[in-house]
Amino acid sequence: MKKFIASVLVFVLCFAPVASAAVYEGQRVRIVIGSTAVSGDSYMVADIVNRYLQKYLNCNSKVDPVGANEAFATIKTAAPDGMTFMIFHDMTYLGVLFGSYSKDYDLENMVIGPRVGQNPGSCFAGKVNAPYKDMKEMAEWLKADPSRTVRLSVELGSVSNLAFVIYYVWLKDTYGEEVANQLRFVLGGSTDTKLQQLWDNNADVIFGDYSSFLQYTKEGVDEQLALKYVGIMDRIPGRDDVPVYGDMGITMEGKPLYFSKDFLIYLPKGTPDNVVAELDEAVAKMQADPQFQEDMAKMTYAGNTLQSKEAKEFIYAKRDAIKNVLAEAPNIEDLE
Amino acid sequence: MILNLGLALLGTAVGIIFGAIPGMTATMAVAVFLPMTYAFQLVPALYLLLGLYVGGISGGLIPAILINVPGTPSSVCTGFDGYPMARRGESERALKVGITASFLGGMISLIVLALLTPPLAKMAIKFSAIEKFLIILFAMTVIAALSKGSMTKGVFSGFLGVLLSLVGELSMNNKMRMVPSFLSDELRSGFQLLPLLIGLFAICQMFQEAEKGMQSNNLDEGVTVEGAKKFSFSDFKGQTVNVIRSSLLGTFMGILPGVGGSAASLIAYSQTKSFSKHPELMGKGAPEGLIASESSNNGLTGGALVPLLSLGIPGDATTAVLIGAFLLQGIQVGPLFIGQHPDIWNQILLALFACNILMFIVMFFPIKLISQVVKVRSARMYPVILLMCIVGAYATRSGVMFDVWCLLLFGIVGYVMNKIGLPTAPFLIGFILGGDLEKYFIEAVKGNN
Amino acid sequence: MQQFLKEWLKIRNMHLFFPYLIASICALLFVVILIQRAIKCKKDGTPFINFKNYHFFKPGYDKVKLWGSLVLFILYIIALPELHFAWASVIFIFLFNVLFDMKPGKLFDIKSILISAVIAFVGSWGVWYLFYQVFNITLP
């Protein structure tokens, strides 16, 4: 019976006239994000997007920084009416791929909405006086003397873990396993923890966000504190002077690697199509808004959106490619 | 300027409300207002947010003194002496002592911030995990200072608190421990501090009062507010050293990134007890304990801004939220901040100065009214406290129902602990410090290559 | 020692070290507490286990209020996500007020019940308005 009613409902909703489709008009909307920090890219992107969604959906939405666990749990249990959704980056599927989260949280158990933006600035940074200027040189430097090691501070099961693995696999394929095994894995934490590790000389290279390291790479910073970028995972518009993974020749599955964090809207399973369609429409308007593009660019993010259909194909393909790389990767715990 | 001061006043007043409501904190207040600051320039936004910060830290003393429920984790020690004073009818005196101590703590830390920021920040990053581990361990010694009856029971209770804080996932290796599989979603990030704190104090007290039949109010029998000792600034006579020591300890804890505000007041409290001429009076309503706790937690405010503004590293949870305000305006805080933005830096000092004065004014003068809360009958007061606690618990992680269940759970735990003679304050302190103790222990061992 | 710790703190099982350590300390302290009690009992000549004179609840405690508050609390939490925050609160804060202000022999004190209703209504909607509307905090 329930199923019958549900299918009737879906039927009615699908064929309901588009004019009456304003589900969001005047509603209170809760946007959960997978981070508790309000200074990270997850919050910043969600905050910008939230302002434009309010404008184009005409709703009263609010960003709740509940953290990854709570955000996933919310999407699992929330009513599929579109009034609660998540904006989060690649951690959504990485958590499952790395085994930190159960299959209950698989992409297949969510409805994938439009992509709302990208952050190209995931990067590794090292001490300013490190003997290599980027991660390509780092490979040569390692190869030159097998007794050398580089300690990279990353977090398990995150984008940084992926960045480490991609580099490791590329090193292994290009320079051989011995060189790759000269990489050492250091358990990181928040950006502050990692900076402290670097300053305490407990790590040589740390992972973080381009913008959060920017101040330390500027001229005039105390040498003890100063950093330099050694590998950014994607091109940042207007910054041609920094080493980018793909440009240095780092590849994944044979192709130069350019990896941006993709921020998508994720909705609870069973969310009706007209809700997603309304989000798509609002995101399309947002994409066309020059002010939105400017706001994103100011934070070194990119306002490249995708409609939900393409976003779904895109993120599934991205996940499958990464799954293959992870299959090749060693157990990171052995490189400690 | 008028607008800025108006915002600072608004911030301070709202901050005090957040601080005073059990389960709501300065961090929450700043986070709630953060998205609204987008509409302002950075400087007015900072006046508002710093007001919330100072107000939120200070407001915690009100419920700690009046109903023995610390409004924020950093005012845990305030109730140790503040509440016995209130029971003697001296609620107004206790509140005024607390507010004055807060003000002095805030001002001393402001002086430190203004004069010593760059050198102190350089010193702060020299502290490695080993030193931080030792500091946390040192803060735990306050348990000994608190265990009046049986030292063993107090220490046992403290370690139980540490054990409980380990429940859930260790964020370093994403592995769970001590979590039954049917609660793996709920307990993944462990028990939350705020529901535990207010459950252990407020809800537990509600059950205790219910057991006694909700007969009276919180005053000791035969005591009247009118007949009690009044506040005068001479309460601070002989406390100069205490004020300065506690404020500086608070400031120092603020400067150290990753050592939270609760550790500050714990260390200040136990230091004051060990230097006190009458240590036996502490915990029974001695103003010096109150002064230590409040001057140190407000001392934190200026201290926590030191590493934020000179390194880009927040000194505590609230300043971590403040970074968001800078980023929303497209300004990076880091080692070059003060040099590149001397105008903003000066405004921050000015704002902090204004907020401390406003906090003092906003709290000191209506205190007569607020202090009357002790006269309210328990039967009428506890339902309202409960309502606030529910809001606070639910808001801890922006809307998780499990946290409200924890509120009830720890109300029962506190009630049972009292019945079997296990002190709850050491349990709470163990829980507050447990996570950091583990983190710095592991980092110290692993990092020391 | 260093080596021992390093082995224990390998990433694979680092999450277990502290729980084991702290649990052992707790167990140790528990034994100490028992021994202390045994010594004290021997000195005072009281039996080690003394259930007869032990009362978990105060003699003559207010059963209705204690158990009533527990039951109401549980029902309140269950009701919160089902009803609107403010309505659930109006109902339960009212009931709590009535329960706590109940006096034996005078169950229906109209004045007291009216006051309860006013507190419940004003308190709940006031809190809801302030936090939900003004501060935009998520409530059940």
Side-chain angles (χ1 to χ4, degrees):
Chain A
M1 188 61 191
K2 251 187 188 164
K3 260 194 181 152
F4 174 73
I5 293 177
S7 35
V8 168
L9 223 82
V10 169
F11 183 82
V12 170
L13 287 172
C14 288
F15 291 89
V18 184
S20 71
V23 236
Y24 281 105
E25 179 97 40
Q27 294 293 315
R28 212 163 150 118
V29 181
R30 182 168 184 236
I31 304 173
V32 292
I33 62 167
S35 157
T36 51
V38 294
S39 51
D41 58 347
S42 296
Y43 183 84
M44 288 298 153
V45 169
D47 182 74
I48 295 173
V49 169
N50 178 36
R51 262 180 270 132
Y52 289 90
L53 288 183
Q54 277 177 353
K55 185 170 160 192
Y56 292 120
L57 290 171
N58 211 357
C59 65
N60 176 13
S61 56
K62 184 205 166 206
V63 179
D64 272 339
V66 295
N69 304 334
E70 280 7 285
F72 295 156
T74 304
I75 295 311
K76 195 164 117 183
T77 54
D81 55 5
M83 295 308 138
T84 307
F85 58 80
M86 171 169 85
I87 295 182
F88 200 28
H89 56 70
D90 300 76
M91 259 306 281
T92 314
Y93 62 85
L94 282 178
V96 178
L97 285 191
F98 281 116
S100 321
Y101 288 91
S102 77
K103 293 260 183 244
D104 294 357
Y105 299 112
D106 234 334
L107 291 183
E108 280 76 5
N109 290 326
M110 300 176 191
V111 167
I112 291 169
R115 181 173 81 188
V116 292
Q118 292 182 302
N119 177 12
S122 306
C123 67
F124 279 112
K127 282 205 164 180
V128 75
N129 49 14
Y132 32 79
K133 76 171 200 296
D134 57 31
M135 290 171 83
K136 168 105 177 138
E137 267 189 20
M138 185 196 289
E140 305 287 348
W141 184 78
L142 284 172
K143 196 182 169 209
D145 181 352
S147 69
R148 287 174 177 163
T149 57
V150 176
R151 297 164 299 167
L152 291 86
S153 173
V154 300
E155 287 153 278
L156 282 181
S158 64
V159 174
S160 58
N161 194 157
L162 177 69
F164 181 98
V165 166
I166 292 173
Y167 185 59
Y168 178 93
V169 171
W170 174 74
L171 270 186
K172 192 177 81 176
D173 293 347
T174 325
Y175 293 86
E177 194 156 1
E178 292 76 34
V179 176
N181 283 334
Q182 284 167 259
L183 290 185
R184 288 284 172 275
F185 158 76
V186 173
L187 207 49
S190 61
T191 302
D192 316 332
T193 309
K194 288 185 214 155
L195 281 168
Q196 188 77 48
Q197 283 177 334
L198 195 78
W199 293 332
D200 286 349
N201 196 27
N202 285 327
D204 301 312
V205 172
I206 58 177
F207 190 87
D209 196 61
Y210 171 82
S211 57
S212 59
F213 292 152
L214 191 58
Q215 272 259 315
Y216 305 95
T217 63
K218 292 270 167 72
E219 198 83 16
V221 178
D222 213 69
E223 197 183 334
Q224 190 201 349
L225 305 178
L227 307 182
K228 67 180 172 201
Y229 296 110
V230 294
I232 297 180
M233 292 184 80
D234 206 346
R235 288 180 182 145
I236 297 170
R239 284 305 306 264
D240 306 323
D241 52 335
V242 287
V244 175
Y245 260 48
D247 298 348
M248 287 187 281
I250 297 177
T251 53
M252 186 171 97
E253 300 200 299
K255 291 187 288 266
L257 178 91
Y258 297 98
F259 176 99
S260 276
K261 279 195 212 168
D262 290 285
F263 289 83
L264 271 70
I265 291 180
Y266 295 95
L267 300 114
K269 199 175 185 175
T271 306
D273 291 346
N274 66 323
V275 172
V276 182
E278 205 178 319
L279 288 173
D280 272 338
E281 206 180 309
V283 167
K285 285 180 191 160
M286 182 172 85
Q287 159 94 36
D289 190 328
Q291 187 62 42
F292 169 71
Q293 297 298 341
E294 195 183 306
D295 283 356
M296 292 291 273
K298 198 170 90 183
M299 312 288 290
T300 67
Y301 307 143
N304 302 328
T305 67
L306 280 179
Q307 294 288 287
S308 57
K309 203 163 157 279
E310 292 96 71
K312 185 175 174 178
E313 280 166 25
F314 170 83
I315 204 78
Y316 274 49
K318 192 175 182 188
R319 178 185 64 174
D320 293 341
I322 287 169
K323 205 187 227 165
N324 295 338
V325 177
L326 290 184
E328 269 186 74
N331 193 346
I332 194 166
E333 293 168 9
D334 297 333
L335 295 170
E336 203 184 343
Chain B
M1 196 63 208
I2 299 288
L3 170 78
N4 290 352
L5 284 179
L7 283 170
L9 181 65
L10 174 76
T12 318
V14 173
I16 292 168
I17 297 176
F18 269 78
I21 289 179
M24 298 217 157
T25 59
T27 315
M28 234 181 252
V30 176
V32 162
F33 276 82
L34 183 65
M36 303 178 201
T37 61
Y38 183 77
F40 305 139
Q41 298 279 313
L42 179 62
V43 169
L46 285 172
Y47 272 85
L48 176 70
L49 297 176
L50 288 172
L52 289 163
Y53 185 22
V54 172
I57 294 273
S58 314
L61 69 91
I62 297 174
I65 289 170
L66 295 179
I67 53 176
N68 198 23
V69 178
T72 61
S74 56
S75 48
V76 167
C77 295
T78 308
F80 295 161
D81 287 289
Y83 185 60
M85 286 176 80
R87 290 197 70 106
R88 292 200 300 251
E90 297 169 12
S91 52
E92 192 182 330
R93 177 176 173 227
L95 286 168
K96 286 187 172 171
V97 168
I99 293 161
T100 312
S102 293
F103 174 73
L104 294 173
M107 283 304 179
I108 290 174
S109 79
L110 175 61
I111 296 170
V112 174
L113 175 71
L115 300 180
L116 297 170
T117 289
L120 280 178
K122 273 207 180 136
M123 177 212 72
I125 59 163
K126 291 267 178 354
F127 275 73
S128 69
I130 302 173
E131 283 92 12
K132 286 180 187 165
F133 172 75
L134 291 175
I135 287 172
I136 302 285
L137 204 61
F138 188 52
M140 282 194 76
T141 57
V142 75
I143 291 174
L146 281 177
S147 310
K148 274 165 276 179
S150 158
M151 175 80 98
T152 335
K153 277 188 176 175
V155 176
F156 175 66
S157 184
F159 274 103
L160 273 186
V162 175
L163 190 63
L164 193 77
S165 75
L166 305 178
V167 170
E169 190 179 70
L170 176 68
S171 64
M172 294 169 133
N173 70 353
N174 299 335
K175 288 198 170 108
M176 292 219 256
R177 58 266 170 96
M178 298 192 284
V179 177
S181 54
F182 65 97
L183 282 176
S184 58
D185 278 349
E186 287 80 4
L187 276 181
R188 198 176 182 111
S189 26
F191 290 105
Q192 302 298 305
L193 170 60
L194 288 167
L196 179 131
L197 171 77
I198 52 185
L200 224 46
F201 283 83
I203 304 303
C204 159
Q205 273 181 60
M206 183 181 84
F207 287 139
Q208 285 170 338
E209 287 297 316
E211 185 184 2
K212 284 190 266 175
M214 292 276 169
Q215 299 293 345
S216 56
N217 52 30
N218 272 344
L219 290 172
D220 279 334
E221 244 165 87
V223 162
T224 58
V225 171
E226 288 72 23
K229 202 169 167 195
K230 292 273 176 292
F231 170 80
S232 83
F233 286 100
S234 63
D235 280 333
F236 280 83
K237 218 172 176 179
Q239 298 295 332
T240 321
V241 180
N242 182 8
V243 169
I244 293 175
R245 180 184 56 228
S246 302
S247 306
L248 290 180
L249 272 171
T251 309
F252 176 67
M253 294 297 149
I255 293 171
L256 282 188
V259 179
S262 335
S265 66
L266 293 172
I267 290 181
Y269 189 85
S270 65
Q271 284 308 297
T272 301
K273 184 161 181 171
S274 55
F275 283 108
S276 172
K277 287 192 196 92
H278 301 285
E280 73 285 353
L281 291 180
M282 282 193 48
K284 294 187 184 124
E288 58 180 326
L290 186 57
I291 292 170
S293 173
E294 280 307 315
S295 50
S296 63
N297 70 21
N298 276 68
L300 183 81
T301 51
L305 289 167
V306 168
L308 176 75
L309 299 174
S310 57
L311 295 171
I313 291 181
D316 73 341
T318 317
T319 38
V321 180
L322 273 180
I323 293 191
F326 289 92
L327 288 179
L328 281 175
Q329 310 283 344
I331 291 179
Q332 299 282 336
V333 275
L336 302 177
F337 172 77
I338 295 177
Q340 285 174 346
H341 303 278
D343 47 327
I344 300 178
W345 162 244
N346 286 330
Q347 287 288 346
I348 289 172
L349 295 178
L350 207 58
L352 206 58
F353 181 71
C355 291
N356 271 298
I357 290 178
L358 286 169
M359 179 275 292
F360 186 75
I361 295 171
V362 170
M363 281 175 92
F364 198 83
F365 293 102
I367 223 65
K368 218 176 168 63
L369 206 67
I370 301 172
S371 66
Q372 302 298 316
V373 169
V374 283
K375 289 199 208 160
V376 176
R377 282 169 45 229
S378 301
R380 294 300 184 205
M381 197 166 64
Y382 279 102
V384 177
I385 295 177
L386 174 71
L387 180 67
M388 307 249 186
C389 287
I390 295 232
V391 174
Y394 191 74
T396 304
R397 282 185 287 177
S398 320
V400 178
M401 210 58 208
F402 179 71
D403 292 338
V404 183
W405 284 107
C406 286
L407 178 70
L408 171 61
L409 172 72
F410 289 109
I412 298 171
V413 167
Y415 179 78
V416 173
M417 283 178 74
N418 275 312
K419 288 287 180 185
I420 59 175
L422 278 180
T424 46
F427 179 73
L428 171 70
I429 291 163
F431 184 86
I432 291 178
L433 300 174
D436 281 343
L437 199 67
E438 177 182 34
K439 180 174 168 243
Y440 291 125
F441 179 81
I442 294 178
E443 277 182 17
V445 174
K446 291 196 89 75
N448 199 13
N449 289 329
Chain C
M1 184 68 186
Q2 187 83 359
Q3 212 45 47
F4 168 78
L5 280 177
K6 284 237 154 107
E7 201 46 48
W8 252 104
L9 292 175
K10 283 255 187 261
I11 290 167
R12 212 163 281 118
N13 46 9
M14 68 197 308
H15 61 296
L16 294 175
F17 179 75
F18 238 64
Y20 276 123
L21 178 73
I22 302 295
S24 317
I25 295 176
C26 284
L28 193 75
L29 286 167
F30 187 67
V31 173
V32 173
I33 291 174
L34 289 184
I35 294 171
Q36 278 179 337
R37 185 177 161 81
I39 293 171
K40 190 168 172 280
C41 288
K42 204 164 179 194
K43 221 165 41 191
D44 301 351
T46 47
F48 185 70
I49 296 169
N50 191 0
F51 275 125
K52 216 179 248 166
N53 296 321
Y54 181 76
H55 297 283
F56 185 78
F57 297 107
K58 278 190 192 344
Y61 75 99
D62 196 324
K63 289 193 185 72
V64 180
K65 282 181 191 163
L66 179 60
W67 294 110
S69 62
L70 183 62
V71 171
L72 274 186
F73 202 145
I74 293 172
L75 292 176
Y76 186 12
I77 304 181
I78 294 172
L80 270 173
E82 305 301 324
L83 303 171
H84 184 268
F85 167 80
W87 285 119
S89 299
V90 168
I91 296 168
F92 282 93
I93 297 307
F94 170 71
L95 291 176
F96 266 107
N97 262 293
V98 171
L99 175 76
F100 287 165
D101 206 36
M102 227 164 26
K103 289 176 191 75
K106 201 181 172 192
L107 283 179
F108 291 99
D109 180 345
I110 296 296
K111 192 179 151 212
S112 158
I113 289 178
L114 269 179
I115 296 175
S116 303
V118 171
I119 294 177
F121 200 82
V122 174
S124 304
W125 282 102
V127 165
W128 179 81
Y129 181 78
L130 184 66
F131 289 105
Y132 192 73
Q133 296 290 13
V134 180
F135 294 147
N136 211 2
I137 287 177
T138 305
L139 290 177

